[in-house]
Amino acid sequence: MEVSKMEEGQAQIDIWNYVFGFTSMAVVKCAVDLGIPDVLENPMTLSDLSSALGCSPSALYRIMRFLIHRGIFKETTNNRTDQIETIVYAQTPLSRLLMRNGANSMTDVLLLECSPVMLAPWHRLSARALAKGTSSFQAANGEELWRYATENPAHSKLIDDAMACMARMTVPAILDNHQEIFEGITSLVDVGGGNGTALSILVKSCPWIRGINFDLPHVVSVCPHYDGVEHVGGNMFECVPKADAAFLMARLYSLRPIKICLLFQVLHDWNDEECVDILKKCKEAIPTNTGKVIIVEAVVGEEEADKYKHVHLYLDMIMMAHTDTGKERTRKEWEYVLNGAGFNRYTIKHFQGHQSVIEAYL
């Protein structure tokens, strides 16, 4: 196949994006570590910013030049007459997502994915592809992800903080679009609820619900107090507190009796056969005529017009790097596991960014 000079030229440009692809993540993390997004809540000149951060002006200038080129920050004209510098740095909608205490901050997710523990498996991704029997994460870190987190409190906190970050964005979006899910429920147990952030948001918005945040003892022992939420420590494979419904942020356990089973980013951790088994357990736990399973997950768009397709594909590679069998699924792949578990009717509703709500009925 003949390749034009224009195509060859573009390939020469594009290849550098892959050679240095890690750089954007590293420099954004540098900005977060320095506190640039928070300090720049008001526009500042280079000299003012370097003074506020205690940074070398020349190094900071180069960092900001890179981040401006990537669209993280922007330059505007300085209108102050008492300053010589004519250019000031300012926030963008993107940089506001990197503010540590911002309303929709993604900082904790970034810090988790930038951690050495989570980066190391990427160097072992081929081990997963070659089916050597060891996951990329285990090959890099010696143990599978959740056991590693249990034995390393600092990494466990990174995961909990990242999950809380996602909860602060996702749970309000679920409530805004599908609050009817929680109507009629008087008690709800969040299995694997981490520090209780998701449940605290739910209970605050749905005060008729009594919340039970259930996780391993070492996790709940350091949870903050939330009105309407009881923290309970235990092992979900041995016993789960009884409630009207289960809300699952990271793991699954079936309850009897429950009206609704809500799976929040659970099934992408498992292969198709395991998902079918999990969904069958859910089917056994819900009423035959009125029960349903609500799954909050990504649905990989097969059409090129899907503007979040790149996010779905990133997430799928993350599942390959960090789990033994996990993956993101297309609509057809979701239909396969749902039908395999005996759910013959379902709806898929997009509600926020890259995520969807799948309602499966008996």
Side-chain angles (χ1 to χ4, degrees):
M1 180 178 177
E2 186 175 348
V3 179
S4 69
K5 289 185 177 180
M6 181 178 295
E7 290 174 317
E8 287 183 349
Q10 187 61 48
Q12 290 291 333
I13 295 172
D14 291 343
I15 191 62
W16 290 109
N17 290 328
Y18 298 99
V19 172
F20 296 124
F22 70 93
T23 309
S24 293
M25 172 187 273
V27 180
V28 170
K29 181 180 183 296
C30 172
V32 169
D33 289 341
L34 292 173
I36 297 175
D38 297 286
V39 172
L40 269 186
E41 192 164 1
N42 295 308
M44 301 178 73
T45 64
L46 175 64
S47 58
D48 286 343
L49 184 59
S50 63
S51 296
L53 298 173
C55 289
S56 159
S58 59
L60 184 60
Y61 167 76
R62 292 161 64 191
I63 290 169
M64 293 302 293
R65 179 176 61 183
F66 180 91
L67 293 171
I68 289 168
H69 177 71
R70 298 295 299 172
I72 307 295
F73 298 104
K74 65 181 180 181
E75 289 182 341
T76 62
T77 303
N78 187 4
N79 295 321
R80 290 180 56 179
T81 58
D82 60 335
Q83 291 182 325
I84 298 175
E85 295 175 83
T86 58
I87 299 297
V88 295
Y89 301 128
Q91 290 272 22
T92 66
L94 185 53
S95 67
R96 292 189 181 280
L97 296 177
L98 299 171
M99 297 175 67
R100 286 188 177 270
N101 296 314
N104 296 314
S105 175
M106 289 287 289
T107 299
D108 289 325
V109 178
L110 175 76
L111 294 177
L112 171 66
E113 296 300 333
C114 284
S115 67
V117 171
M118 299 304 264
L119 288 175
W122 291 106
H123 293 282
R124 306 292 187 93
L125 192 60
S126 56
R128 170 80 182 271
L130 292 170
K132 296 296 185 180
T134 301
S135 70
S136 302
F137 188 94
Q138 187 171 354
N141 296 301
E143 295 182 276
E144 58 87 23
L145 175 59
W146 298 113
R147 181 176 294 277
Y148 183 93
T150 299
E151 297 175 357
N152 294 270
H155 191 68
S156 180
K157 186 177 186 306
L158 279 177
I159 293 174
D160 287 343
D161 289 346
M163 293 302 100
C165 174
M166 293 299 294
R168 286 190 292 270
M169 295 182 63
T170 303
V171 175
I174 295 173
L175 291 168
D176 286 345
N177 292 275
H178 303 288
Q179 185 164 327
E180 71 277 2
I181 288 172
F182 305 103
E183 292 177 358
I185 297 173
T186 58
S187 60
L188 183 146
V189 59
D190 186 350
V191 182
N195 65 11
T197 298
L199 196 55
S200 69
I201 298 170
L202 278 169
V203 170
K204 186 175 181 180
S205 297
C206 307
W208 60 88
I209 294 177
R210 177 177 63 88
I212 304 168
N213 182 50
F214 183 65
D215 212 311
L216 295 170
H218 79 275
V219 175
V220 299
S221 65
V222 294
C223 288
H225 169 76
Y226 299 110
D227 290 337
V229 175
E230 176 188 3
H231 298 297
V232 177
N235 187 324
M236 67 179 177
F237 294 105
E238 297 173 358
C239 181
V240 172
K242 293 186 180 298
D244 288 339
F247 179 70
L248 301 103
M249 286 289 294
R251 306 179 182 91
L252 173 70
Y253 198 95
S254 59
L255 296 176
R256 295 173 188 264
I258 63 173
K259 299 174 183 177
I260 299 170
C261 186
L262 176 60
L263 308 180
F264 186 91
Q265 295 180 332
V266 174
L267 297 179
H268 70 171
D269 288 333
W270 310 100
N271 65 29
D272 290 346
E273 291 73 21
E274 291 164 327
C275 284
V276 169
D277 289 341
I278 290 170
L279 287 167
K280 283 181 177 178
K281 291 180 181 179
C282 293
K283 185 175 68 172
E284 294 170 0
I286 61 177
T288 302
N289 297 323
T290 59
K292 64 178 176 179
V293 174
I294 298 174
I295 303 164
V296 182
E297 293 269 7
V299 178
V300 180
E302 296 177 306
E303 64 281 355
E304 291 303 320
D306 178 13
K307 63 181 179 181
Y308 286 99
K309 187 171 184 176
H310 68 294
V311 180
H312 298 152
L313 297 181
Y314 280 143
L315 289 170
D316 188 48
M317 289 297 97
I318 288 172
M319 300 313 297
M320 182 175 285
H322 293 160
T323 71
D324 292 348
T325 59
K327 65 177 182 179
E328 304 296 344
R329 291 176 170 84
T330 64
R331 176 185 287 266
K332 291 180 181 178
E333 289 170 325
W334 279 116
E335 182 174 322
Y336 174 81
V337 297
L338 290 168
N339 289 346
F343 293 95
N344 298 314
R345 186 165 59 94
Y346 68 91
T347 62
I348 298 179
K349 303 171 183 175
H350 301 290
F351 73 94
Q352 181 204 46
H354 67 280
Q355 294 180 314
S356 300
V357 173
I358 303 172
E359 293 181 276
Y361 303 90
L362 296 175

